Structures are given as structure tokens and as C-alpha cells.
Amino acid sequence: MNSLSPRAAVGLFLVIVLAWGVNWSVTKQLVQFVPPLWTSAIRSWIALAGLFVILGSSNNLVIPERRDVPVVLSVALLHMTIFSVLVAAGVRFLPASKAIVLGYTTPLWVAIAAPLLGKDTLTAPKVAGALLGLIGLAVILNPTSIDWANRNVVLGAGMVILAAISWAANIIYIRAHRWIASPLQLLIWQVLVATIVLTGAAVVMDGLPHVEWSWKLVLLFLYSGLIGSALAYWAMSMVNRSISALTTALGTTGTPLVGIASAAVLLGEPIDRSLAIAAALIVTGIGLATLGDRVLRRQATASG
């Protein structure tokens, strides 16, 4: 499929930010009715069906070559499985607005870990961005914002931060991988592996689900599976082929802001001072760290 026009790419990217931002509030509601493992598994089955239709109709169904298997497993396990389950489990105990801010610290962990692993070089913007992000993390974790006397709240915050670190590990691996097929062509295989692993884990850990189905629950799952997962995954692959990585990386900083707003509207969650300050610091920090990557790429290009 050809690249999108700039206007179409930007429009599709706005859909991604909205879909992902709202999906945190949707997940918060889903885990009130269905255990986190089954929430992730059912959502993944719906996403798999949606992607089969989307990719099949665009002739993007291919058999991955052997050298692409590691990246399929990396995305499937670190992002689509571990990240998904930890977020679903953590958001049970946290407001969705605070969970999404913690969850989107991922670029900060990339900025910190990649140089330590010899996969990147520190620049002044990246150091400043990481420091701002860590200060924002401290703000949202302060005792007036997070109840440290409540073990469940602390556990929830810890699980969401671990989810962000898992996603960061996946990003670091993806950067080093030499792709044979395109990310779009491998997408359905990543979701398939995640679906199998999630379903197996759910059966082993929780047994067969006992769910009181309602139209509200069905609609929540359809949104999370089709829009928050399948459509967003496909759209992100298309957008990445059409606009610069810097634009997409900076643009995704809007996702936590959409998540905070949607949690306020859909769930009635208050936007307190700590949340607003932490979100501003973390989003600014991610922006600086992303610009630091841009500086490195320019230097590398200039040096040949």
C-alpha cells in the first residue's frame, strides 16, 4: 500500500492519539467486570479478527522469514502481552488519568537505558528530558497524589511503571533489528502470538472466565479490540511510513493528555494539581529526549 498524503497521515495520527488516550478509560471499566488476563486476551482476539480483515484486504498477509521471528516475539511478548497485562492489572487500583501518565514514561526509560546498553549516545537534550521526566514521576508518586499506605495503589503504580519499562525494552530491541518484512506485514503475527500466550496464561491462572455479559461490556470490548488495538496498530504502521519519526514521537505525547481528559469526562476523575504538573513535566521531558534523538541522527548523517 502506498504512503498516505501528509494531510491524511496527520488526520490518521490524530485518530491514533484519540483511540489510545480513550482506551485507558475503557480498560479501567473493563477490568471492573473481567480479570486483567482475560480482558487482554479477549481484546486481543477481537484485534486479531479486525487485523485479518484489514491486512487481508490490502494484501499485507505474508509468512515471516526466520530473521524476523525475533522481532515478532519481542513485540508480541514485551508490548502486546506484558505491557497489556500489567496496565490492565495496574489500572484496577489507580485512576486511569494517573495510570496513563505513568504508562507513557516509556520514552524516558528508553532515553536512560539505551546509552547504558551501548545502543545510543547521551546528548544534553536527552539528559534534560530524562531529568524532567523523572521529576514528573516523583511529583505524581508523592504522598499527596499516591496513597502510600494503600498497598493496592502502590502495587498498581508499580505494575504500570513496569509495563512502561517492558515497552521501552521492546523499543530498544526494535531499533536494533534489521527488518525483512515491513512492520505492517508482521503485525498480524505479533498479535497472533500475543493472543495465544494471553489466552493460555488466562486459562492457567484464572480458569474459564465467568462474565456477566451486557451491551455495555460488549461495546467496551469492541472499542478496545477494534479501535484501541486493531485500528490503532494498523494506523500507526501506516503513519510511520508517511511522516517523520520525530513528528510521530512528539505527537504521541498528546496521548496522556487525551487520556486525562477522557478520564475526567467518562469516569469523572478529578484533574488535581499533582497530576497536571506531572503530566506537563513528563510530556516536556519526552519531547526533549525525542529532540535529542533527532540531534544524534543529524550528527550521524553529517559524519556520513
Side-chain angles (χ1 to χ4, degrees), residues 62-85:
V62 300
I63 303 296
E65 294 192 24
R66 187 173 181 178
R67 284 179 291 174
D68 274 334
V69 170
V71 80
V72 169
L73 295 177
S74 171
V75 175
L77 299 178
L78 291 175
H79 185 198
M80 296 181 177
T81 299
I82 296 175
F83 177 84
S84 175
V85 171

PDB file of all heavy atoms in Angstrom, residues 62-85:
ATOM      1  N   VAL A  62       1.684 -11.949   4.946  1.00  0.00           N
ATOM      2  CA  VAL A  62       2.855 -12.687   4.465  1.00  0.00           C
ATOM      3  C   VAL A  62       3.324 -13.642   5.556  1.00  0.00           C
ATOM      4  O   VAL A  62       2.997 -13.465   6.727  1.00  0.00           O
ATOM      5  CB  VAL A  62       4.010 -11.734   4.087  1.00  0.00           C
ATOM      6  CG1 VAL A  62       3.597 -10.770   2.988  1.00  0.00           C
ATOM      7  CG2 VAL A  62       4.513 -10.975   5.318  1.00  0.00           C
ATOM      8  N   ILE A  63       4.081 -14.646   5.167  1.00  0.00           N
ATOM      9  CA  ILE A  63       4.721 -15.545   6.132  1.00  0.00           C
ATOM     10  C   ILE A  63       6.061 -14.924   6.533  1.00  0.00           C
ATOM     11  O   ILE A  63       6.889 -14.638   5.661  1.00  0.00           O
ATOM     12  CB  ILE A  63       4.964 -16.944   5.533  1.00  0.00           C
ATOM     13  CG1 ILE A  63       3.651 -17.544   5.035  1.00  0.00           C
ATOM     14  CG2 ILE A  63       5.630 -17.850   6.567  1.00  0.00           C
ATOM     15  CD1 ILE A  63       2.633 -17.790   6.113  1.00  0.00           C
ATOM     16  N   PRO A  64       6.283 -14.658   7.825  1.00  0.00           N
ATOM     17  CA  PRO A  64       7.542 -14.016   8.217  1.00  0.00           C
ATOM     18  C   PRO A  64       8.744 -14.913   7.971  1.00  0.00           C
ATOM     19  O   PRO A  64       8.677 -16.132   8.152  1.00  0.00           O
ATOM     20  CB  PRO A  64       7.349 -13.746   9.717  1.00  0.00           C
ATOM     21  CG  PRO A  64       6.300 -14.705  10.156  1.00  0.00           C
ATOM     22  CD  PRO A  64       5.408 -14.915   8.980  1.00  0.00           C
ATOM     23  N   GLU A  65       9.838 -14.307   7.536  1.00  0.00           N
ATOM     24  CA  GLU A  65      11.079 -15.050   7.372  1.00  0.00           C
ATOM     25  C   GLU A  65      11.737 -15.275   8.728  1.00  0.00           C
ATOM     26  O   GLU A  65      11.419 -14.608   9.715  1.00  0.00           O
ATOM     27  CB  GLU A  65      12.025 -14.291   6.429  1.00  0.00           C
ATOM     28  CG  GLU A  65      11.501 -14.197   5.006  1.00  0.00           C
ATOM     29  CD  GLU A  65      12.565 -13.705   4.045  1.00  0.00           C
ATOM     30  OE1 GLU A  65      13.762 -13.864   4.347  1.00  0.00           O
ATOM     31  OE2 GLU A  65      12.180 -13.157   2.995  1.00  0.00           O
ATOM     32  N   ARG A  66      12.669 -16.212   8.739  1.00  0.00           N
ATOM     33  CA  ARG A  66      13.288 -16.626  10.001  1.00  0.00           C
ATOM     34  C   ARG A  66      13.926 -15.452  10.744  1.00  0.00           C
ATOM     35  O   ARG A  66      13.856 -15.362  11.972  1.00  0.00           O
ATOM     36  CB  ARG A  66      14.332 -17.704   9.705  1.00  0.00           C
ATOM     37  CG  ARG A  66      14.935 -18.346  10.934  1.00  0.00           C
ATOM     38  CD  ARG A  66      15.821 -19.503  10.509  1.00  0.00           C
ATOM     39  NE  ARG A  66      16.395 -20.174  11.658  1.00  0.00           N
ATOM     40  CZ  ARG A  66      17.172 -21.243  11.583  1.00  0.00           C
ATOM     41  NH1 ARG A  66      17.470 -21.756  10.386  1.00  0.00           N
ATOM     42  NH2 ARG A  66      17.655 -21.807  12.666  1.00  0.00           N
ATOM     43  N   ARG A  67      14.573 -14.536  10.011  1.00  0.00           N
ATOM     44  CA  ARG A  67      15.264 -13.427  10.654  1.00  0.00           C
ATOM     45  C   ARG A  67      14.316 -12.405  11.270  1.00  0.00           C
ATOM     46  O   ARG A  67      14.748 -11.557  12.041  1.00  0.00           O
ATOM     47  CB  ARG A  67      16.202 -12.745   9.651  1.00  0.00           C
ATOM     48  CG  ARG A  67      17.485 -13.539   9.385  1.00  0.00           C
ATOM     49  CD  ARG A  67      18.368 -12.830   8.381  1.00  0.00           C
ATOM     50  NE  ARG A  67      17.776 -12.836   7.054  1.00  0.00           N
ATOM     51  CZ  ARG A  67      18.296 -12.186   6.010  1.00  0.00           C
ATOM     52  NH1 ARG A  67      19.395 -11.464   6.157  1.00  0.00           N
ATOM     53  NH2 ARG A  67      17.708 -12.254   4.823  1.00  0.00           N
ATOM     54  N   ASP A  68      13.031 -12.477  10.919  1.00  0.00           N
ATOM     55  CA  ASP A  68      12.041 -11.570  11.511  1.00  0.00           C
ATOM     56  C   ASP A  68      11.342 -12.182  12.721  1.00  0.00           C
ATOM     57  O   ASP A  68      10.582 -11.486  13.410  1.00  0.00           O
ATOM     58  CB  ASP A  68      10.984 -11.170  10.474  1.00  0.00           C
ATOM     59  CG  ASP A  68      11.421  -9.967   9.639  1.00  0.00           C
ATOM     60  OD1 ASP A  68      12.231  -9.172  10.140  1.00  0.00           O
ATOM     61  OD2 ASP A  68      10.933  -9.833   8.500  1.00  0.00           O
ATOM     62  N   VAL A  69      11.559 -13.459  12.983  1.00  0.00           N
ATOM     63  CA  VAL A  69      10.888 -14.116  14.113  1.00  0.00           C
ATOM     64  C   VAL A  69      11.232 -13.449  15.450  1.00  0.00           C
ATOM     65  O   VAL A  69      10.336 -13.225  16.277  1.00  0.00           O
ATOM     66  CB  VAL A  69      11.221 -15.622  14.150  1.00  0.00           C
ATOM     67  CG1 VAL A  69      10.726 -16.263  15.452  1.00  0.00           C
ATOM     68  CG2 VAL A  69      10.584 -16.315  12.947  1.00  0.00           C
ATOM     69  N   PRO A  70      12.510 -13.080  15.711  1.00  0.00           N
ATOM     70  CA  PRO A  70      12.804 -12.430  16.999  1.00  0.00           C
ATOM     71  C   PRO A  70      12.026 -11.138  17.226  1.00  0.00           C
ATOM     72  O   PRO A  70      11.579 -10.878  18.340  1.00  0.00           O
ATOM     73  CB  PRO A  70      14.314 -12.162  16.914  1.00  0.00           C
ATOM     74  CG  PRO A  70      14.830 -13.206  15.989  1.00  0.00           C
ATOM     75  CD  PRO A  70      13.750 -13.379  14.966  1.00  0.00           C
ATOM     76  N   VAL A  71      11.838 -10.332  16.182  1.00  0.00           N
ATOM     77  CA  VAL A  71      11.113  -9.078  16.382  1.00  0.00           C
ATOM     78  C   VAL A  71       9.619  -9.340  16.559  1.00  0.00           C
ATOM     79  O   VAL A  71       8.929  -8.615  17.290  1.00  0.00           O
ATOM     80  CB  VAL A  71      11.380  -8.085  15.230  1.00  0.00           C
ATOM     81  CG1 VAL A  71      10.546  -8.384  13.990  1.00  0.00           C
ATOM     82  CG2 VAL A  71      11.126  -6.649  15.696  1.00  0.00           C
ATOM     83  N   VAL A  72       9.115 -10.394  15.915  1.00  0.00           N
ATOM     84  CA  VAL A  72       7.715 -10.786  16.136  1.00  0.00           C
ATOM     85  C   VAL A  72       7.511 -11.155  17.603  1.00  0.00           C
ATOM     86  O   VAL A  72       6.561 -10.707  18.257  1.00  0.00           O
ATOM     87  CB  VAL A  72       7.325 -11.959  15.213  1.00  0.00           C
ATOM     88  CG1 VAL A  72       5.969 -12.535  15.635  1.00  0.00           C
ATOM     89  CG2 VAL A  72       7.271 -11.504  13.763  1.00  0.00           C
ATOM     90  N   LEU A  73       8.420 -11.962  18.135  1.00  0.00           N
ATOM     91  CA  LEU A  73       8.314 -12.387  19.530  1.00  0.00           C
ATOM     92  C   LEU A  73       8.517 -11.212  20.486  1.00  0.00           C
ATOM     93  O   LEU A  73       7.844 -11.114  21.513  1.00  0.00           O
ATOM     94  CB  LEU A  73       9.337 -13.484  19.818  1.00  0.00           C
ATOM     95  CG  LEU A  73       9.138 -14.801  19.059  1.00  0.00           C
ATOM     96  CD1 LEU A  73      10.272 -15.771  19.378  1.00  0.00           C
ATOM     97  CD2 LEU A  73       7.791 -15.421  19.407  1.00  0.00           C
ATOM     98  N   SER A  74       9.440 -10.324  20.150  1.00  0.00           N
ATOM     99  CA  SER A  74       9.708  -9.166  21.013  1.00  0.00           C
ATOM    100  C   SER A  74       8.471  -8.295  21.173  1.00  0.00           C
ATOM    101  O   SER A  74       8.062  -7.971  22.289  1.00  0.00           O
ATOM    102  CB  SER A  74      10.867  -8.352  20.432  1.00  0.00           C
ATOM    103  OG  SER A  74      11.013  -7.126  21.126  1.00  0.00           O
ATOM    104  N   VAL A  75       7.867  -7.920  20.060  1.00  0.00           N
ATOM    105  CA  VAL A  75       6.674  -7.066  20.120  1.00  0.00           C
ATOM    106  C   VAL A  75       5.520  -7.807  20.789  1.00  0.00           C
ATOM    107  O   VAL A  75       4.802  -7.246  21.632  1.00  0.00           O
ATOM    108  CB  VAL A  75       6.272  -6.603  18.709  1.00  0.00           C
ATOM    109  CG1 VAL A  75       4.960  -5.816  18.753  1.00  0.00           C
ATOM    110  CG2 VAL A  75       7.370  -5.751  18.085  1.00  0.00           C
ATOM    111  N   ALA A  76       5.335  -9.076  20.415  1.00  0.00           N
ATOM    112  CA  ALA A  76       4.214  -9.855  20.946  1.00  0.00           C
ATOM    113  C   ALA A  76       4.305 -10.027  22.454  1.00  0.00           C
ATOM    114  O   ALA A  76       3.299  -9.889  23.163  1.00  0.00           O
ATOM    115  CB  ALA A  76       4.150 -11.213  20.262  1.00  0.00           C
ATOM    116  N   LEU A  77       5.497 -10.327  22.953  1.00  0.00           N
ATOM    117  CA  LEU A  77       5.645 -10.644  24.373  1.00  0.00           C
ATOM    118  C   LEU A  77       5.855  -9.402  25.236  1.00  0.00           C
ATOM    119  O   LEU A  77       5.191  -9.235  26.260  1.00  0.00           O
ATOM    120  CB  LEU A  77       6.800 -11.632  24.569  1.00  0.00           C
ATOM    121  CG  LEU A  77       6.628 -12.979  23.848  1.00  0.00           C
ATOM    122  CD1 LEU A  77       7.850 -13.857  24.076  1.00  0.00           C
ATOM    123  CD2 LEU A  77       5.361 -13.689  24.318  1.00  0.00           C
ATOM    124  N   LEU A  78       6.775  -8.529  24.827  1.00  0.00           N
ATOM    125  CA  LEU A  78       7.103  -7.377  25.671  1.00  0.00           C
ATOM    126  C   LEU A  78       6.028  -6.300  25.630  1.00  0.00           C
ATOM    127  O   LEU A  78       5.711  -5.694  26.660  1.00  0.00           O
ATOM    128  CB  LEU A  78       8.448  -6.785  25.244  1.00  0.00           C
ATOM    129  CG  LEU A  78       9.679  -7.647  25.529  1.00  0.00           C
ATOM    130  CD1 LEU A  78      10.920  -7.005  24.941  1.00  0.00           C
ATOM    131  CD2 LEU A  78       9.848  -7.869  27.036  1.00  0.00           C
ATOM    132  N   HIS A  79       5.478  -6.044  24.449  1.00  0.00           N
ATOM    133  CA  HIS A  79       4.490  -4.966  24.333  1.00  0.00           C
ATOM    134  C   HIS A  79       3.051  -5.479  24.421  1.00  0.00           C
ATOM    135  O   HIS A  79       2.295  -5.077  25.306  1.00  0.00           O
ATOM    136  CB  HIS A  79       4.691  -4.205  23.017  1.00  0.00           C
ATOM    137  CG  HIS A  79       3.797  -3.008  22.884  1.00  0.00           C
ATOM    138  ND1 HIS A  79       3.544  -2.393  21.680  1.00  0.00           N
ATOM    139  CD2 HIS A  79       3.069  -2.312  23.801  1.00  0.00           C
ATOM    140  CE1 HIS A  79       2.719  -1.380  21.862  1.00  0.00           C
ATOM    141  NE2 HIS A  79       2.405  -1.316  23.142  1.00  0.00           N
ATOM    142  N   MET A  80       2.705  -6.380  23.511  1.00  0.00           N
ATOM    143  CA  MET A  80       1.299  -6.781  23.413  1.00  0.00           C
ATOM    144  C   MET A  80       0.848  -7.701  24.540  1.00  0.00           C
ATOM    145  O   MET A  80      -0.356  -7.814  24.805  1.00  0.00           O
ATOM    146  CB  MET A  80       1.048  -7.452  22.061  1.00  0.00           C
ATOM    147  CG  MET A  80       1.243  -6.522  20.891  1.00  0.00           C
ATOM    148  SD  MET A  80       0.921  -7.349  19.310  1.00  0.00           S
ATOM    149  CE  MET A  80       1.143  -5.985  18.157  1.00  0.00           C
ATOM    150  N   THR A  81       1.787  -8.367  25.204  1.00  0.00           N
ATOM    151  CA  THR A  81       1.415  -9.261  26.310  1.00  0.00           C
ATOM    152  C   THR A  81       1.751  -8.644  27.662  1.00  0.00           C
ATOM    153  O   THR A  81       0.850  -8.322  28.447  1.00  0.00           O
ATOM    154  CB  THR A  81       2.116 -10.623  26.167  1.00  0.00           C
ATOM    155  OG1 THR A  81       1.718 -11.239  24.933  1.00  0.00           O
ATOM    156  CG2 THR A  81       1.743 -11.543  27.318  1.00  0.00           C
ATOM    157  N   ILE A  82       3.035  -8.468  27.958  1.00  0.00           N
ATOM    158  CA  ILE A  82       3.435  -7.988  29.288  1.00  0.00           C
ATOM    159  C   ILE A  82       2.916  -6.577  29.541  1.00  0.00           C
ATOM    160  O   ILE A  82       2.312  -6.303  30.591  1.00  0.00           O
ATOM    161  CB  ILE A  82       4.964  -8.053  29.446  1.00  0.00           C
ATOM    162  CG1 ILE A  82       5.437  -9.501  29.376  1.00  0.00           C
ATOM    163  CG2 ILE A  82       5.394  -7.412  30.768  1.00  0.00           C
ATOM    164  CD1 ILE A  82       6.944  -9.667  29.414  1.00  0.00           C
ATOM    165  N   PHE A  83       3.122  -5.663  28.601  1.00  0.00           N
ATOM    166  CA  PHE A  83       2.623  -4.293  28.769  1.00  0.00           C
ATOM    167  C   PHE A  83       1.114  -4.291  28.952  1.00  0.00           C
ATOM    168  O   PHE A  83       0.582  -3.645  29.870  1.00  0.00           O
ATOM    169  CB  PHE A  83       3.019  -3.441  27.561  1.00  0.00           C
ATOM    170  CG  PHE A  83       2.497  -2.030  27.600  1.00  0.00           C
ATOM    171  CD1 PHE A  83       3.180  -1.041  28.288  1.00  0.00           C
ATOM    172  CD2 PHE A  83       1.312  -1.695  26.954  1.00  0.00           C
ATOM    173  CE1 PHE A  83       2.692   0.264  28.330  1.00  0.00           C
ATOM    174  CE2 PHE A  83       0.821  -0.398  26.985  1.00  0.00           C
ATOM    175  CZ  PHE A  83       1.508   0.582  27.678  1.00  0.00           C
ATOM    176  N   SER A  84       0.418  -5.021  28.092  1.00  0.00           N
ATOM    177  CA  SER A  84      -1.046  -5.039  28.135  1.00  0.00           C
ATOM    178  C   SER A  84      -1.576  -5.561  29.468  1.00  0.00           C
ATOM    179  O   SER A  84      -2.473  -4.960  30.082  1.00  0.00           O
ATOM    180  CB  SER A  84      -1.577  -5.894  26.985  1.00  0.00           C
ATOM    181  OG  SER A  84      -2.975  -6.027  27.050  1.00  0.00           O
ATOM    182  N   VAL A  85      -1.009  -6.671  29.948  1.00  0.00           N
ATOM    183  CA  VAL A  85      -1.498  -7.282  31.190  1.00  0.00           C
ATOM    184  C   VAL A  85      -1.165  -6.410  32.401  1.00  0.00           C
ATOM    185  O   VAL A  85      -2.010  -6.210  33.289  1.00  0.00           O
ATOM    186  CB  VAL A  85      -0.912  -8.696  31.363  1.00  0.00           C
ATOM    187  CG1 VAL A  85      -1.245  -9.243  32.743  1.00  0.00           C
ATOM    188  CG2 VAL A  85      -1.463  -9.628  30.289  1.00  0.00           C
TER     189      VAL A  85
END
